[in-house]
Amino acid sequence: MTAPIRVLIVDDDALVRAGLSMILGGQDDIAIVGEAGDGSQVPPMVAEHRPDVVLMDIRMPEVDGLAATEALRGTKSPPEVLVLTTFHADAQVLRALRAGAAGFLLKDIPPAELVAAIRKVAAGEPILSPAVTRQLISHVSGDGAGQRTERARALLDRLSEREREVAAAVGQGRSNAEIGRELFMSVPTVKAHVSRILTKLGLNNRVQIALLVYDAGP
């Protein structure tokens, strides 16, 4: 029997925390290991409880979810972070994704979709559609866009031609199986390419590869 997915809930609203705990607590394969009301509580709670996934609110009174996400991604073997937000297009959400969050969820997400999202991100799959990524980027593209494009293109130039093809497919939201079919590779070979891309470019996950591809432009 596989171990349950360990989840830490971080939100300054006690009612939101209670609702999330009620939804997730009824799942056999999910275990709530803790709740935090502010980002300042996240590092010690993560160190103590070792969650697999952190549900992270963005707006909190002392340390917000962005700062907490950045702090976590700088640690060894950090948990996956799913950002909780009430906004579809929000500069802070995009910054959290750039900092290494695996995706974001709207707070009014149906319970079944919330559970499915946690299972997916625990399995290493990003929770982010290409359409939503483009929408987010379009709302903040004027802020340092030129520098981001230059940096993204320089990073992608470090990759081999095959790795660039895989990165482009990741940016289009393709799964490993879809990339394999499109580029005539086995799924293990696709996974190996993705791992090499992450290592070469110093990235945390597939979401950051996708953001880099979007930043680089056509």
Side-chain angles (χ1 to χ4, degrees), residues 54-123:
V54 177
L55 291 179
M56 184 84 75
D57 186 22
I58 283 286
R59 291 170 173 80
M60 290 180 283
E62 295 181 27
V63 176
D64 64 21
L66 173 63
T69 298
E70 290 172 336
L72 281 185
R73 299 313 302 187
T75 62
K76 185 178 180 180
S77 300
E80 298 291 353
V81 175
L82 273 174
V83 172
L84 294 169
T85 180
T86 55
F87 298 92
H88 283 276
D90 178 23
Q92 284 189 300
V93 172
L94 183 56
R95 286 175 61 197
L97 296 173
R98 293 189 188 282
F104 76 92
L105 304 173
L106 295 176
K107 287 188 176 181
D108 60 358
I109 186 172
E113 292 183 23
L114 170 65
V115 172
I118 289 173
R119 289 172 179 155
K120 284 186 68 176
V121 79

